[in-house]
């Protein structure tokens, strides 16, 4: 079984395996570990969440590749990881966690202003499982 820490996933990992999911083990040593989703497994029936490559289109019409976390129960994108110069930055998109402080951290990492960043559109394509979706996030008010 191939395993990685979620924080060690990079875009290259999605070239080898289209989607990754949490390892379902009771031991705490696996708490932040993910493994590839086999192509013959439907992640939307068998996983709590998957992580995959995505395209992020910023309001200033620039775009970049990143990582999206998708909650399988409703197929909503709930977290993104931005990559820049060998570094990464994780931003929650959950409505109760996405606030201006988190936006400012992402803006500093990406060297953008909030207006350049939002509305942020995230596109995910997972051909193996027939997923082709876009989700747009507005600038939070708090």
């Amino acid at each position: 079984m191939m395993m990685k820490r979620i924080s060690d996933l990079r875009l290259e990992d999605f070239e080898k395996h289209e989607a990754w999911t949490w390892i379902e083990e009771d031991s705490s040593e696996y708490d932040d570990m993910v493994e590839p989703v086999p192509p013959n497994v439907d992640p939307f029936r068998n996983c709590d969440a998957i992580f995959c490559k995505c395209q992020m289109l910023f309001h200033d019409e620039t775009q970049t590749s990143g990582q999206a976390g998708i909650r399988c129960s409703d197929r909503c994108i709930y977290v993104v990881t931005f990559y820049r110069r060998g570094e990464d930055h994780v931003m929650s998109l959950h409505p109760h966690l996405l606030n201006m402080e988190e936006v400012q951290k992402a803006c500093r990492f990406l060297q953008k202003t909030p207006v350049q960043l939002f509305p942020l559109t995230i596109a995910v394509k997972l051909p193996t499982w027939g997923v082709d979706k876009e989700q747009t996030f507005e600038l939070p008010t708090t």
Side-chain angles (χ1 to χ4, degrees):
M1 170 169 59
M2 177 182 218
M3 300 183 297
K4 289 191 102 162
R5 295 202 180 287
I6 185 82
S7 58
D8 292 337
L9 277 180
R10 296 292 176 255
L11 293 176
E12 303 83 48
D13 294 312
F14 299 109
E15 302 303 323
K16 297 175 192 158
H17 304 283
E18 203 173 350
W20 295 68
T21 190
W22 296 115
I23 292 179
E24 302 282 334
E25 294 288 335
D26 291 334
S27 172
S28 62
E29 71 181 284
Y30 294 103
D31 281 352
D32 62 345
M33 302 293 286
V34 291
E35 63 184 343
V37 177
N40 62 336
V41 171
D42 181 350
F44 299 102
R45 290 192 176 156
N46 298 298
C47 304
D48 292 329
I50 58 170
F51 304 93
C52 58
K53 183 177 178 178
C54 68
Q55 279 301 113
M56 294 181 244
L57 176 62
F58 304 118
H59 187 245
D60 66 3
E61 297 185 2
T62 61
Q63 60 182 332
T64 189
S65 295
Q67 178 192 137
I70 301 174
R71 193 173 47 238
C72 291
S73 61
D74 59 5
R75 296 187 183 206
C76 282
I77 299 168
Y78 71 96
V79 64
V80 290
T81 302
F82 303 104
Y83 297 103
R84 188 169 180 272
R85 297 183 184 163
E87 299 287 318
D88 61 72
H89 178 79
V90 178
M91 183 172 74
S92 173
L93 297 170
H94 187 283
H96 297 295
L97 300 175
L98 181 61
N99 55 43
M100 284 307 293
E101 181 180 341
E102 292 304 311
V103 169
Q104 291 294 346
K105 288 178 188 175
C107 287
R108 281 191 295 278
F109 180 80
L110 295 167
Q111 297 184 333
K112 292 186 177 292
T113 66
V115 173
Q116 291 173 313
L117 194 61
F118 285 88
L120 169 63
T121 300
I122 300 169
V124 172
K125 293 182 189 298
L126 297 169
T128 301
W129 300 288
V131 174
D132 185 353
K133 76 171 282 159
E134 282 189 358
Q135 196 169 340
T136 300
F137 299 87
E138 299 295 329
L139 185 65
T141 57
T142 58

